[in-house]
Amino acid sequence: MLKKKKLSQKKNLLMVLWDDSIAFRVLFFILAYLVLGFINMPFEKWLEAHSTEWRSTETPHYFFLQGLTHEKAKFIENSFFVLPIFEAIAVALICFIIYGLFYSVSKMIAFRNYCYIPLTEDEVKEMEFKNADEYFAYVLNKLTYGFKNEKENLQVSDDDLRKILITCLNVFPDNGTIFQINKETAYDVSDNILFSDAVILNCGKAEIINKHVVLSGVNRNGKREEYTV
């Protein structure tokens, strides 16, 4: 059983959400709009308190306010017919928002988990992963989000993939057990084509060269290939 360990933060959560989560940005602008609305409330009350004085024909604001009053009355007359339509749209929109909210929160949790995935040798050793496949399966589970029958997952960047592979080589024997990683798990964790092609090689060899991971082996046609991640 894996040990629980307090993992160090690798990325700034707010920056990750801002860069990659549309829902987070939408929520930010909605909150900003609400804040501006509350800020405007005292100003609107001040305008109402002085509107009687400004309606005097002797003030330069008279004709301007008369126009505003006319437009307001026209809107109220039309609202009797328009309001039900807007209410129906609002109900549909609320249902859509609730559905999307659960999905978005789940995705934000995955972004949060991404900021804390174990990348260092000490973290991987203390969590007692048996091999690279178990390590990758753990990362994939942490990056998975969505509903039960509609699961999706985030994918690690090429830089983070390189860190994970280097950690595997330094922690696990037998070429870091990289060539024992489940093919589907490898595809889900990273969209790096070179890595995906490398994990299916036979007689694989992995080594660290110039801070990159070089994976080599024999393909299905018996030809030796080499990939640098």
Side-chain angles (χ1 to χ4, degrees):
M1 184 175 179
L2 298 179
K3 286 186 176 180
K4 290 185 177 180
K5 181 182 182 295
K6 186 175 181 181
L7 301 173
S8 61
Q9 185 174 1
K10 312 301 188 306
K11 299 175 180 290
N12 185 297
L13 176 58
L14 292 178
M15 293 302 298
V16 170
L17 289 175
W18 181 261
D19 290 338
D20 299 317
S21 175
I22 296 176
F24 178 78
R25 279 177 280 179
V26 171
L27 181 61
F28 173 83
F29 286 117
I30 290 175
L31 291 176
Y33 178 80
L34 292 175
V35 170
L36 288 175
F38 280 109
I39 292 175
N40 285 334
M41 286 177 64
F43 179 67
E44 290 176 358
K45 290 182 178 180
W46 183 81
L47 284 176
E48 290 179 2
H50 293 78
S51 61
T52 304
E53 176 186 345
W54 288 358
R55 287 194 183 97
S56 172
T57 57
E58 297 177 359
T59 65
H61 309 285
Y62 172 73
F63 294 105
F64 174 71
L65 290 174
Q66 281 290 94
L68 290 181
T69 304
H70 174 72
E71 291 298 326
K72 185 175 181 181
K74 187 176 180 181
F75 174 78
I76 292 173
E77 291 174 1
N78 293 332
S79 65
F80 179 79
F81 301 99
V82 177
L83 190 58
I85 298 175
F86 278 104
E87 288 177 344
I89 295 174
V91 170
L93 183 60
I94 289 172
C95 293
F96 177 78
I97 290 174
I98 292 174
Y99 179 87
L101 183 62
F102 284 104
Y103 180 86
S104 299
V105 169
S106 174
K107 189 172 183 178
M108 288 182 187
I109 292 174
F111 277 119
R112 186 265 178 195
N113 292 339
Y114 187 9
C115 297
Y116 288 89
I117 58 174
L119 295 176
T120 66
E121 293 181 38
D122 290 339
E123 290 173 340
V124 173
K125 287 178 180 177
E126 291 197 30
M127 297 190 74
E128 297 184 350
F129 296 114
K130 295 178 182 179
N131 49 47
D133 183 56
E134 193 173 277
Y135 179 18
F136 269 70
Y138 171 86
V139 172
L140 177 59
N141 180 62
K142 288 296 183 180
L143 300 184
T144 299
Y145 62 91
F147 299 100
K148 185 176 181 179
N149 298 323
E150 300 178 10
K151 290 291 186 180
E152 298 182 51
N153 65 273
L154 306 178
Q155 292 182 308
V156 299
S157 66
D158 288 346
D159 287 340
D160 288 336
L161 173 63
R162 190 176 303 112
K163 293 175 184 177
I164 291 174
L165 294 177
I166 290 174
T167 298
C168 287
L169 284 170
N170 291 331
V171 174
F172 305 120
D174 189 20
N175 292 302
T177 64
I178 291 172
F179 297 97
Q180 300 174 25
I181 299 172
N182 180 278
K183 181 176 67 175
E184 298 300 326
T185 303
Y187 292 165
D188 288 337
V189 170
S190 171
D191 62 355
N192 187 298
I193 298 176
L194 298 178
F195 173 62
S196 300
D197 291 340
V199 293
I200 61 175
L201 295 175
N202 297 316
C203 304
K205 179 181 179 182
E207 53 188 337
I208 303 171
I209 300 177
N210 295 327
K211 297 182 180 181
H212 285 73
V213 177
V214 179
L215 305 171
S216 59
V218 179
N219 63 19
R220 296 174 182 176
N221 299 321
K223 181 180 178 181
R224 189 160 191 85
E225 295 183 346
E226 182 177 286
Y227 301 94
T228 301
V229 179

